[in-house]
Amino acid sequence: MKRLNIMIASALVGAAASSPLAAQANVEVLDEGFDNLAGLTSWDRINRSTPPGLGWFQGNTDLFPPQSGGAGSYAAANFLGAANGMGVVDNWLITPTLPLSGLTTLSFFTNREAVDGFDDLIEVRFSAGSGTDASSFDTLLATIGGDNPFPADWRQWSADLTVEGEGRFAFRYLGDAATLSYIGLDTVRVVTAVPEPASLLMLAGGLGVLGLMRRKVGPAGRQ
């Protein structure tokens, strides 16, 4: 069973989102399948490892195929995030700055190389605004891996939060390089919603992380 860390940032916002008043129109503001990671100029790849090595890179089909799309069309990171595979990996992949309004859902798929004896780990974080400073990503949405095994097949995860204004999501691959192997990330989507005016009054208090769930999917196309 995966370890999932879920932080409730605002009970007020959570109450608003569960209210019948929270009628909304959904708007998809991000749908990325990583066909060409290097060409994604609006994404940031920041390697804060010690010492820094290889950043996030295009997926390797020899290790496992993508969740969807063409050969190698997923983002990957591995133990070489720290130079020569020795040191501490702290490797970030950050979405573009997104306009968010009301109840918002982030969804994505992860996978790892099917090799035993490693403890791959990803944190999923959120930052209001457009910056890339690590300290600004102070909302932890999920932790995948660590004490419990990182699933060795494509699995979908999602997190709901309520936020008004610009923001960015970050996928942080981290840990002692000696404990890490190879992971993949695919089909990252963000859908935001515009609540009805009555709900906006309740949501104005700030940011609320409402929940995280996972569901296993087959090798078929994106959902």
Side-chain angles (χ1 to χ4, degrees), residues 16-36:
S18 62
S19 166
L21 296 175
Q24 54 211 272
N26 295 326
V27 178
E28 185 175 79
V29 293
L30 180 68
D31 182 4
E32 183 53 58
F34 302 111
D35 293 335
N36 180 12

Side-chain angles (χ1 to χ4, degrees), residues 131-149:
T132 59
D133 189 276
S135 63
S136 69
F137 287 88
D138 54 1
T139 300
L140 178 63
L141 297 175
T143 301
I144 303 171
D147 294 337
N148 297 303

Side-chain angles (χ1 to χ4, degrees), residues 141-162:
L141 297 175
T143 301
I144 303 171
D147 294 337
N148 297 303
F150 195 115
D153 56 9
W154 284 114
R155 295 198 187 186
Q156 188 179 35
W157 309 82
S158 68
D160 294 335
L161 65 156
T162 301

Side-chain angles (χ1 to χ4, degrees), residues 2-4 108 110 120-124 142-146 148-151 157 212:
K2 293 299 306 161
R3 184 182 68 192
L4 305 177
F108 56 95
T110 64
D120 289 299
L121 178 67
I122 288 179
E123 288 183 352
V124 184
T143 301
I144 303 171
N148 297 303
F150 195 115
W157 309 82
L212 175 72

Side-chain angles (χ1 to χ4, degrees), residues 56-148:
W56 284 76
F57 54 90
Q58 197 70 45
N60 184 348
T61 301
D62 290 339
L63 296 179
F64 53 77
Q67 182 270 326
S68 67
S73 62
Y74 63 92
N78 69 4
F79 64 98
L80 292 174
N84 301 313
M86 294 182 289
V88 178
V89 173
D90 188 8
N91 205 352
W92 294 64
L93 179 64
I94 304 173
T95 72
T97 302
L98 302 171
L100 304 173
S101 178
L103 184 61
T104 297
T105 299
L106 164 71
S107 65
F108 56 95
F109 288 79
T110 64
N111 197 358
R112 71 166 175 85
E113 185 180 15
V115 177
D116 294 333
F118 295 98
D119 296 315
D120 289 299
L121 178 67
I122 288 179
E123 288 183 352
V124 184
R125 292 180 169 272
F126 175 79
S127 171
S130 58
T132 59
D133 189 276
S135 63
S136 69
F137 287 88
D138 54 1
T139 300
L140 178 63
L141 297 175
T143 301
I144 303 171
D147 294 337
N148 297 303

